[in-house]
Amino acid sequence: MMKITKPFRMSLVKAKGMDTVKKMSISSGVNRWTLSDILNSRKTEVTTQTYCKLEIWLRRKNDEYEK
């Protein structure tokens, strides 16, 4: 299990922007209910696989902003 820290969660919220949770779920590969719980601080621990998916999604979003 991996801990979702407040800075990591805030990075996800910021990168999500105006996208819906459903759209973010599809592009990250994370279940939308799990994602909603993470974004709303109801879930603070996730599997390593989920954490890695979110980390990869966050890197891709950050790369898009830099272009």
Side-chain angles (χ1 to χ4, degrees):
M1 297 295 277
M2 300 285 293
K3 180 91 171 150
I4 300 290
T5 62
K6 186 174 181 177
F8 185 73
R9 184 177 59 80
M10 294 307 292
S11 295
L12 292 171
V13 171
K14 183 178 177 183
K16 176 185 168 289
M18 296 300 291
D19 285 349
T20 63
V21 172
K22 184 176 180 180
K23 185 175 178 180
M24 186 178 173
S25 171
I26 291 168
S27 62
S28 68
V30 175
N31 179 286
R32 70 178 173 159
W33 303 113
T34 300
L35 195 50
S36 177
D37 286 346
I38 292 167
L39 295 173
N40 292 297
S41 301
R42 291 187 296 262
K43 185 177 278 255
T44 58
E45 287 190 8
V46 295
T47 64
T48 304
Q49 183 180 11
T50 298
Y51 190 90
C52 288
K53 287 178 181 181
L54 291 172
E55 211 170 33
I56 291 166
W57 178 85
L58 196 53
R59 282 192 207 134
R60 274 189 283 145
K61 284 299 259 188
N62 288 334
D63 287 348
E64 287 177 17
Y65 289 137
E66 291 175 6
K67 290 182 180 179

